[in-house]
Amino acid sequence: MKLASLKSASRDGTLAIVDRDLSSAFPALESGFATLQSVLENWDDAAPALETTYRALIQRELDALPLKPDELASPLPRAYQWLDGSAYLSHVERVRKARGAPMPPSLYTDPLMYQGGSAAFLGPRDPIRLPDESWGLDFEAEVAVITDDVPMGVTPEEAAPHIKLVMLVNDISLRNLIPQELAKGFGFLHGKPGPAFSPAAVTPDELGDAWNGAKIHLPLLTYRSGTLVGHPDAGEGMQFDFRELLAHAARTRPLPAGTIIGSGTVSNPDAGRGYSCIAEKRVIEQIESGEARTPYLQHGETVRIEMFDRSGRSVFGAIEQDVWP
């Protein structure tokens, strides 16, 4: 099934069940659940009821409302925890090379992950505010999963059933602020102002055989002001799958229902499929010509991130954001 959250007076939005082609929605409150967080906390009871409503919706048995992307919040407008990995090592290698930082051997065996702010996420059509263009605004197209309650110390195999929903992410970065923050040795703050998520979060069964239980084998398309800049396969080059990322996050703590785990910027070893962030393109330019020529995002530009299934249907809907001062 596909789930979304309508913007409302509640900070947690109003949960809606969305049809397969993302054209209509039905209020989940009629199935007894007002928010996605409440569903995740009661998944075993909630999921069957919502699935029944979803089946009725896609069979056109319900009086649904038109789905308007501008009226959508993030599927989880806020979350108890947002953890972002960096599972695609070709991305890590290229970005670290741009900073003159070597690849520690541990990155090949132990996932890289940071904890970001999760008090309020951007919706899929919300603008990106950029007061100062010199900050170096970049998009980062990613995949993410949402969990139910995950016990501390789970193995990757034990972690797999805790993956309840999948969605897309634009993990916004301010590249020119990040180096000075990392140089302090304590992590991101200003350089990661907060991500935006896709219109819908979907259960893994909606992905069919493109989902292998731990990763999606479909291209992730990113457009910059209408021009396709990347279409890497999200299942290729992912050194650590979502089971492993989840187990890594839960090594020393339980994860509450509603935890979001990001894959990190999708990247393939074959650079011919383009890129999912500007920084990676700039690194390739620097390697090839000695100079990074592609500018970071400027006021008035637009970013669009989307994934299509093998029949050409948009799986999650598109993240489409304008850059505002």
Side-chain angles (χ1 to χ4, degrees):
M1 63 184 160
K2 300 191 177 187
L3 301 173
S5 290
L6 301 170
K7 293 179 178 179
S8 70
S10 167
R11 293 187 183 186
D12 295 305
T14 300
L15 182 64
I17 304 161
V18 181
D19 71 349
R20 189 160 281 149
D21 63 6
L22 303 170
S23 63
S24 62
F26 188 78
L29 188 59
E30 297 196 22
S31 297
F33 297 93
T35 67
L36 182 53
Q37 182 63 37
S38 68
V39 169
L40 293 161
E41 291 173 358
N42 301 278
W43 185 265
D44 290 344
D45 293 327
L50 295 177
E51 183 69 29
T52 298
T53 305
Y54 177 65
R55 293 297 163 190
L57 178 62
I58 62 178
Q59 291 167 14
R60 303 293 188 261
E61 297 173 358
L62 302 175
D63 292 327
L65 301 171
L67 184 67
K68 300 178 181 179
D70 289 348
E71 296 178 358
L72 294 177
S74 163
L76 275 176
R78 56 178 176 169
Y80 287 111
Q81 197 154 223
W82 154 238
L83 304 170
D84 197 20
S86 195
Y88 297 88
L89 292 192
S90 56
H91 169 75
V92 180
E93 290 167 349
R94 289 165 185 157
V95 172
R96 289 182 71 88
K97 182 177 288 187
R99 297 205 306 262
M103 282 285 285
S106 63
L107 290 185
Y108 295 95
T109 58
D110 194 38
L112 190 64
M113 186 174 286
Y114 82 93
Q115 183 162 348
S118 59
F121 297 130
L122 295 176
R125 294 293 190 274
D126 289 348
I128 303 170
R129 299 302 301 270
L130 180 65
D132 188 339
E133 289 181 331
S134 72
W135 290 350
L137 176 62
D138 199 356
F139 51 83
E140 292 194 57
E142 308 183 9
V143 178
V145 299
I146 310 177
T147 75
D148 63 1
D149 288 302
V150 182
M152 184 175 79
V154 294
T155 66
E157 292 73 23
E158 294 167 339
H162 294 285
I163 297 171
K164 299 305 182 186
L165 295 165
V166 187
M167 57 185 177
L168 302 181
V169 191
N170 180 13
D171 182 37
I172 298 161
S173 292
L174 300 173
R175 296 293 186 188
N176 293 337
L177 301 186
I178 287 174
Q180 56 191 300
E181 289 195 304
L182 295 183
K184 297 177 181 178
F186 210 50
F188 302 116
L189 180 64
H190 298 139
K192 291 287 189 178
F197 293 91
S198 53
V202 312
T203 48
D205 62 286
E206 286 290 323
L207 298 163
D209 62 4
W211 175 257
N212 73 349
K215 61 179 77 171
I216 302 178
H217 289 273
L218 289 172
L220 180 59
L221 282 64
T222 304
Y223 296 83
R224 178 178 185 175
S225 298
T227 299
L228 179 66
V229 295
H231 54 99
D233 190 297
E236 184 176 325
M238 192 178 186
Q239 179 79 1
F240 306 102
D241 64 30
F242 280 111
R243 297 171 305 176
E244 294 167 314
L245 292 176
L246 214 161
H248 175 77
R251 180 183 177 191
T252 62
R253 71 187 79 175
L255 307 178
T259 292
I260 304 173
I261 306 278
S263 66
T265 305
V266 175
S267 176
N268 292 166
D270 177 9
R273 293 176 181 169
Y275 55 94
S276 298
C277 71
I278 298 170
E280 195 167 325
K281 173 65 171 174
R282 288 169 59 89
V283 171
I284 293 169
E285 291 171 344
Q286 194 166 349
I287 292 171
E288 292 178 347
S289 68
E291 180 183 6
R293 300 183 304 276
T294 301
Y296 289 117
L297 290 167
Q298 308 294 307
H299 295 151
E301 291 201 81
T302 301
V303 177
R304 184 181 178 94
I305 299 168
E306 195 165 12
M307 180 177 279
F308 295 89
D309 64 20
R310 290 175 181 142
S311 66
R313 179 189 291 121
S314 182
V315 179
F316 309 94
I319 300 170
E320 187 166 349
Q321 298 179 275
D322 298 326
V323 180
W324 288 6

